[in-house]
mmCIF file of all heavy atoms in Angstrom:
data_model
loop_
_atom_site.group_PDB
_atom_site.id
_atom_site.type_symbol
_atom_site.label_atom_id
_atom_site.label_comp_id
_atom_site.label_asym_id
_atom_site.label_seq_id
_atom_site.Cartn_x
_atom_site.Cartn_y
_atom_site.Cartn_z
ATOM 1 N N SER A 920 152.564 114.328 111.608
ATOM 2 C CA SER A 920 151.959 113.177 112.291
ATOM 3 C C SER A 920 152.406 113.095 113.741
ATOM 4 O O SER A 920 151.670 112.601 114.601
ATOM 5 C CB SER A 920 152.337 111.883 111.563
ATOM 6 O OG SER A 920 151.768 111.851 110.278
ATOM 7 N N VAL A 921 153.612 113.558 114.033
ATOM 8 C CA VAL A 921 154.092 113.630 115.410
ATOM 9 C C VAL A 921 153.356 114.741 116.145
ATOM 10 O O VAL A 921 152.851 114.564 117.261
ATOM 11 C CB VAL A 921 155.620 113.863 115.437
ATOM 12 C CG1 VAL A 921 156.118 114.035 116.870
ATOM 13 C CG2 VAL A 921 156.355 112.723 114.741
ATOM 14 N N ARG A 922 153.286 115.913 115.499
ATOM 15 C CA ARG A 922 152.649 117.084 116.118
ATOM 16 C C ARG A 922 151.150 116.897 116.324
ATOM 17 O O ARG A 922 150.549 117.557 117.172
ATOM 18 C CB ARG A 922 152.898 118.318 115.246
ATOM 19 C CG ARG A 922 154.349 118.788 115.263
ATOM 20 C CD ARG A 922 154.559 120.014 114.404
ATOM 21 N NE ARG A 922 154.686 119.697 112.993
ATOM 22 C CZ ARG A 922 153.892 120.156 112.029
ATOM 23 N NH1 ARG A 922 152.883 120.946 112.322
ATOM 24 N NH2 ARG A 922 154.107 119.833 110.771
ATOM 25 N N ALA A 923 150.539 115.982 115.568
ATOM 26 C CA ALA A 923 149.098 115.749 115.702
ATOM 27 C C ALA A 923 148.713 115.259 117.090
ATOM 28 O O ALA A 923 147.552 115.368 117.498
ATOM 29 C CB ALA A 923 148.632 114.743 114.648
ATOM 30 N N THR A 924 149.675 114.731 117.840
ATOM 31 C CA THR A 924 149.395 114.271 119.203
ATOM 32 C C THR A 924 149.302 115.427 120.193
ATOM 33 O O THR A 924 148.961 115.213 121.359
ATOM 34 C CB THR A 924 150.500 113.311 119.684
ATOM 35 O OG1 THR A 924 151.752 114.011 119.678
ATOM 36 C CG2 THR A 924 150.598 112.089 118.779
ATOM 37 N N GLY A 925 149.644 116.644 119.738
ATOM 38 C CA GLY A 925 149.586 117.808 120.619
ATOM 39 C C GLY A 925 150.925 118.247 121.156
ATOM 40 O O GLY A 925 151.001 119.221 121.916
ATOM 41 N N VAL A 926 151.995 117.560 120.770
ATOM 42 C CA VAL A 926 153.321 117.896 121.294
ATOM 43 C C VAL A 926 153.898 119.134 120.614
ATOM 44 O O VAL A 926 153.441 119.559 119.548
ATOM 45 C CB VAL A 926 154.318 116.729 121.115
ATOM 46 C CG1 VAL A 926 153.844 115.510 121.868
ATOM 47 C CG2 VAL A 926 154.542 116.425 119.638
ATOM 48 N N ARG A 927 154.934 119.663 121.226
ATOM 49 C CA ARG A 927 155.701 120.778 120.657
ATOM 50 C C ARG A 927 157.078 120.250 120.272
ATOM 51 O O ARG A 927 157.729 119.563 121.050
ATOM 52 C CB ARG A 927 155.839 121.903 121.705
ATOM 53 C CG ARG A 927 156.607 123.123 121.221
ATOM 54 C CD ARG A 927 156.533 124.227 122.264
ATOM 55 N NE ARG A 927 157.334 123.931 123.442
ATOM 56 C CZ ARG A 927 158.626 124.272 123.582
ATOM 57 N NH1 ARG A 927 159.254 124.914 122.597
ATOM 58 N NH2 ARG A 927 159.280 123.991 124.702
ATOM 59 N N MET A 928 157.503 120.553 119.034
ATOM 60 C CA MET A 928 158.820 120.119 118.577
ATOM 61 C C MET A 928 159.876 121.095 119.092
ATOM 62 O O MET A 928 159.773 122.306 118.872
ATOM 63 C CB MET A 928 158.868 120.060 117.053
ATOM 64 C CG MET A 928 157.771 119.214 116.413
ATOM 65 S SD MET A 928 157.832 117.454 116.839
ATOM 66 C CE MET A 928 159.137 116.886 115.747
ATOM 67 N N VAL A 929 160.867 120.582 119.793
ATOM 68 C CA VAL A 929 161.956 121.403 120.328
ATOM 69 C C VAL A 929 163.192 121.161 119.468
ATOM 70 O O VAL A 929 163.752 120.057 119.461
ATOM 71 C CB VAL A 929 162.241 121.055 121.797
ATOM 72 C CG1 VAL A 929 163.423 121.873 122.318
ATOM 73 C CG2 VAL A 929 160.999 121.294 122.650
ATOM 74 N N GLU A 930 163.623 122.175 118.737
ATOM 75 C CA GLU A 930 164.740 122.023 117.805
ATOM 76 C C GLU A 930 166.087 122.286 118.484
ATOM 77 O O GLU A 930 166.241 123.255 119.232
ATOM 78 C CB GLU A 930 164.575 122.985 116.627
ATOM 79 C CG GLU A 930 163.358 122.693 115.774
ATOM 80 C CD GLU A 930 163.251 123.652 114.594
ATOM 81 O OE1 GLU A 930 164.112 124.556 114.483
ATOM 82 O OE2 GLU A 930 162.315 123.501 113.788
ATOM 83 N N ILE A 931 167.026 121.401 118.186
ATOM 84 C CA ILE A 931 168.410 121.591 118.656
ATOM 85 C C ILE A 931 169.334 121.256 117.481
ATOM 86 O O ILE A 931 168.894 120.696 116.479
ATOM 87 C CB ILE A 931 168.736 120.711 119.884
ATOM 88 C CG1 ILE A 931 168.462 119.222 119.583
ATOM 89 C CG2 ILE A 931 167.910 121.145 121.073
ATOM 90 C CD1 ILE A 931 169.611 118.460 119.012
ATOM 91 N N GLU A 932 170.629 121.574 117.623
ATOM 92 C CA GLU A 932 171.576 121.244 116.564
ATOM 93 C C GLU A 932 172.746 120.414 117.060
ATOM 94 O O GLU A 932 173.241 119.552 116.341
ATOM 95 C CB GLU A 932 172.095 122.527 115.907
ATOM 96 C CG GLU A 932 171.024 123.255 115.093
ATOM 97 C CD GLU A 932 171.609 124.383 114.271
ATOM 98 O OE1 GLU A 932 171.774 125.495 114.830
ATOM 99 O OE2 GLU A 932 171.896 124.168 113.077
ATOM 100 N N THR A 933 173.203 120.638 118.264
ATOM 101 C CA THR A 933 174.380 119.935 118.778
ATOM 102 C C THR A 933 174.017 119.048 119.965
ATOM 103 O O THR A 933 172.947 119.193 120.574
ATOM 104 C CB THR A 933 175.458 120.931 119.222
ATOM 105 O OG1 THR A 933 174.972 121.651 120.370
ATOM 106 C CG2 THR A 933 175.791 121.917 118.104
ATOM 107 N N ALA A 934 174.951 118.148 120.306
ATOM 108 C CA ALA A 934 174.733 117.274 121.459
ATOM 109 C C ALA A 934 174.645 118.076 122.750
ATOM 110 O O ALA A 934 173.845 117.754 123.642
ATOM 111 C CB ALA A 934 175.870 116.248 121.542
ATOM 112 N N ASP A 935 175.432 119.146 122.857
ATOM 113 C CA ASP A 935 175.363 119.998 124.049
ATOM 114 C C ASP A 935 173.992 120.647 124.172
ATOM 115 O O ASP A 935 173.422 120.720 125.269
ATOM 116 C CB ASP A 935 176.448 121.075 123.988
ATOM 117 C CG ASP A 935 177.841 120.518 124.271
ATOM 118 O OD1 ASP A 935 177.924 119.408 124.820
ATOM 119 O OD2 ASP A 935 178.834 121.200 123.919
ATOM 120 N N GLU A 936 173.450 121.115 123.061
ATOM 121 C CA GLU A 936 172.113 121.717 123.075
ATOM 122 C C GLU A 936 171.071 120.672 123.468
ATOM 123 O O GLU A 936 170.119 120.977 124.197
ATOM 124 C CB GLU A 936 171.777 122.308 121.705
ATOM 125 C CG GLU A 936 172.564 123.559 121.350
ATOM 126 C CD GLU A 936 172.211 124.082 119.972
ATOM 127 O OE1 GLU A 936 171.312 123.523 119.324
ATOM 128 O OE2 GLU A 936 172.855 125.062 119.536
ATOM 129 N N ALA A 937 171.243 119.459 122.984
ATOM 130 C CA ALA A 937 170.308 118.393 123.333
ATOM 131 C C ALA A 937 170.340 118.101 124.825
ATOM 132 O O ALA A 937 169.295 117.936 125.471
ATOM 133 C CB ALA A 937 170.634 117.136 122.540
ATOM 134 N N GLU A 938 171.530 118.038 125.380
ATOM 135 C CA GLU A 938 171.679 117.793 126.822
ATOM 136 C C GLU A 938 170.915 118.838 127.633
ATOM 137 O O GLU A 938 170.245 118.518 128.619
ATOM 138 C CB GLU A 938 173.162 117.826 127.209
ATOM 139 C CG GLU A 938 173.992 116.682 126.671
ATOM 140 C CD GLU A 938 173.977 115.465 127.577
ATOM 141 O OE1 GLU A 938 173.177 115.438 128.532
ATOM 142 O OE2 GLU A 938 174.767 114.533 127.330
ATOM 143 N N ARG A 939 171.016 120.098 127.210
ATOM 144 C CA ARG A 939 170.340 121.181 127.950
ATOM 145 C C ARG A 939 168.832 121.172 127.720
ATOM 146 O O ARG A 939 168.066 121.599 128.598
ATOM 147 C CB ARG A 939 170.926 122.531 127.541
ATOM 148 C CG ARG A 939 172.377 122.740 127.974
ATOM 149 C CD ARG A 939 172.795 124.196 127.834
ATOM 150 N NE ARG A 939 172.796 124.632 126.436
ATOM 151 C CZ ARG A 939 173.839 124.526 125.618
ATOM 152 N NH1 ARG A 939 174.973 123.972 126.062
ATOM 153 N NH2 ARG A 939 173.777 124.959 124.378
ATOM 154 N N ALA A 940 168.411 120.704 126.544
ATOM 155 C CA ALA A 940 166.984 120.763 126.202
ATOM 156 C C ALA A 940 166.171 119.633 126.825
ATOM 157 O O ALA A 940 164.976 119.778 127.093
ATOM 158 C CB ALA A 940 166.817 120.738 124.682
ATOM 159 N N ILE A 941 166.817 118.490 127.067
ATOM 160 C CA ILE A 941 166.090 117.355 127.644
ATOM 161 C C ILE A 941 165.704 117.680 129.089
ATOM 162 O O ILE A 941 166.524 118.122 129.885
ATOM 163 C CB ILE A 941 166.961 116.078 127.605
ATOM 164 C CG1 ILE A 941 167.239 115.667 126.164
ATOM 165 C CG2 ILE A 941 166.275 114.936 128.356
ATOM 166 C CD1 ILE A 941 168.240 114.537 126.031
ATOM 167 N N GLY A 942 164.429 117.457 129.384
ATOM 168 C CA GLY A 942 163.955 117.770 130.725
ATOM 169 C C GLY A 942 162.727 116.967 131.079
ATOM 170 O O GLY A 942 162.365 116.015 130.372
ATOM 171 N N PRO A 943 162.041 117.331 132.145
ATOM 172 C CA PRO A 943 160.878 116.566 132.619
ATOM 173 C C PRO A 943 159.706 116.563 131.651
ATOM 174 O O PRO A 943 158.815 115.728 131.765
ATOM 175 C CB PRO A 943 160.508 117.261 133.937
ATOM 176 C CG PRO A 943 161.140 118.616 133.863
ATOM 177 C CD PRO A 943 162.382 118.445 133.054
ATOM 178 N N SER A 944 159.691 117.511 130.674
ATOM 179 C CA SER A 944 158.587 117.562 129.707
ATOM 180 C C SER A 944 158.898 116.811 128.414
ATOM 181 O O SER A 944 158.056 116.751 127.516
ATOM 182 C CB SER A 944 158.250 119.023 129.369
ATOM 183 O OG SER A 944 157.755 119.708 130.501
ATOM 184 N N THR A 945 160.100 116.234 128.311
ATOM 185 C CA THR A 945 160.510 115.573 127.068
ATOM 186 C C THR A 945 159.810 114.220 126.928
ATOM 187 O O THR A 945 159.980 113.324 127.760
ATOM 188 C CB THR A 945 162.033 115.370 127.020
ATOM 189 O OG1 THR A 945 162.684 116.625 127.254
ATOM 190 C CG2 THR A 945 162.449 114.834 125.659
ATOM 191 N N VAL A 946 159.047 114.087 125.854
ATOM 192 C CA VAL A 946 158.292 112.862 125.568
ATOM 193 C C VAL A 946 159.172 111.841 124.860
ATOM 194 O O VAL A 946 159.205 110.664 125.219
ATOM 195 C CB VAL A 946 157.072 113.190 124.669
ATOM 196 C CG1 VAL A 946 156.446 111.913 124.128
ATOM 197 C CG2 VAL A 946 156.061 114.021 125.418
ATOM 198 N N SER A 947 159.859 112.302 123.808
ATOM 199 C CA SER A 947 160.666 111.403 122.988
ATOM 200 C C SER A 947 161.676 112.216 122.203
ATOM 201 O O SER A 947 161.631 113.458 122.191
ATOM 202 C CB SER A 947 159.782 110.593 122.030
ATOM 203 O OG SER A 947 159.166 111.452 121.084
ATOM 204 N N MET A 948 162.578 111.508 121.536
ATOM 205 C CA MET A 948 163.584 112.139 120.689
ATOM 206 C C MET A 948 163.410 111.585 119.280
ATOM 207 O O MET A 948 163.635 110.394 119.040
ATOM 208 C CB MET A 948 164.985 111.859 121.237
ATOM 209 C CG MET A 948 165.211 112.462 122.617
ATOM 210 S SD MET A 948 166.752 111.884 123.397
ATOM 211 C CE MET A 948 167.988 112.423 122.208
ATOM 212 N N HIS A 949 163.008 112.465 118.351
ATOM 213 C CA HIS A 949 162.657 112.038 116.996
ATOM 214 C C HIS A 949 163.864 112.120 116.072
ATOM 215 O O HIS A 949 164.621 113.090 116.102
ATOM 216 C CB HIS A 949 161.517 112.916 116.457
ATOM 217 C CG HIS A 949 160.934 112.409 115.183
ATOM 218 N ND1 HIS A 949 160.127 111.306 115.139
ATOM 219 C CD2 HIS A 949 161.052 112.839 113.899
ATOM 220 C CE1 HIS A 949 159.763 111.076 113.892
ATOM 221 N NE2 HIS A 949 160.330 111.995 113.116
ATOM 222 N N PHE A 950 164.016 111.107 115.207
ATOM 223 C CA PHE A 950 165.172 111.030 114.307
ATOM 224 C C PHE A 950 164.689 110.637 112.918
ATOM 225 O O PHE A 950 164.047 109.606 112.738
ATOM 226 C CB PHE A 950 166.169 109.994 114.826
ATOM 227 C CG PHE A 950 167.512 110.003 114.144
ATOM 228 C CD1 PHE A 950 168.539 110.807 114.619
ATOM 229 C CD2 PHE A 950 167.754 109.200 113.037
ATOM 230 C CE1 PHE A 950 169.785 110.816 114.004
ATOM 231 C CE2 PHE A 950 168.992 109.201 112.417
ATOM 232 C CZ PHE A 950 170.011 110.010 112.899
ATOM 233 N N TYR A 951 164.999 111.475 111.908
ATOM 234 C CA TYR A 951 164.639 111.191 110.520
ATOM 235 C C TYR A 951 165.864 110.599 109.829
ATOM 236 O O TYR A 951 166.846 111.288 109.589
ATOM 237 C CB TYR A 951 164.180 112.477 109.837
ATOM 238 C CG TYR A 951 163.818 112.335 108.384
ATOM 239 C CD1 TYR A 951 163.218 111.188 107.886
ATOM 240 C CD2 TYR A 951 164.066 113.379 107.492
ATOM 241 C CE1 TYR A 951 162.882 111.071 106.554
ATOM 242 C CE2 TYR A 951 163.723 113.279 106.153
ATOM 243 C CZ TYR A 951 163.135 112.117 105.687
ATOM 244 O OH TYR A 951 162.811 112.005 104.357
ATOM 245 N N CYS A 952 165.818 109.318 109.521
ATOM 246 C CA CYS A 952 167.013 108.603 109.058
ATOM 247 C C CYS A 952 167.630 109.210 107.805
ATOM 248 O O CYS A 952 168.864 109.284 107.682
ATOM 249 C CB CYS A 952 166.671 107.134 108.823
ATOM 250 S SG CYS A 952 166.146 106.280 110.327
ATOM 251 N N ASP A 953 166.815 109.652 106.868
ATOM 252 C CA ASP A 953 167.348 110.233 105.635
ATOM 253 C C ASP A 953 168.163 111.495 105.908
ATOM 254 O O ASP A 953 169.051 111.859 105.131
ATOM 255 C CB ASP A 953 166.200 110.558 104.671
ATOM 256 C CG ASP A 953 166.701 111.097 103.339
ATOM 257 O OD1 ASP A 953 167.656 110.531 102.792
ATOM 258 O OD2 ASP A 953 166.158 112.108 102.860
ATOM 259 N N ALA A 954 167.883 112.172 107.014
ATOM 260 C CA ALA A 954 168.563 113.428 107.331
ATOM 261 C C ALA A 954 169.839 113.224 108.127
ATOM 262 O O ALA A 954 170.519 114.203 108.458
ATOM 263 C CB ALA A 954 167.615 114.349 108.109
#
C-alpha cells in the first residue's frame, strides 16, 4: 500500500545506515510496530 504511491523502499538496518540514507529524495520513514 505504501509502494502503490510509486515510491521506492530504501532498506537500512542501523541508525548509522539511516543517517546516510536520508536525503533530498526521502519522502517518509516507515515503521511497522509489530516488528
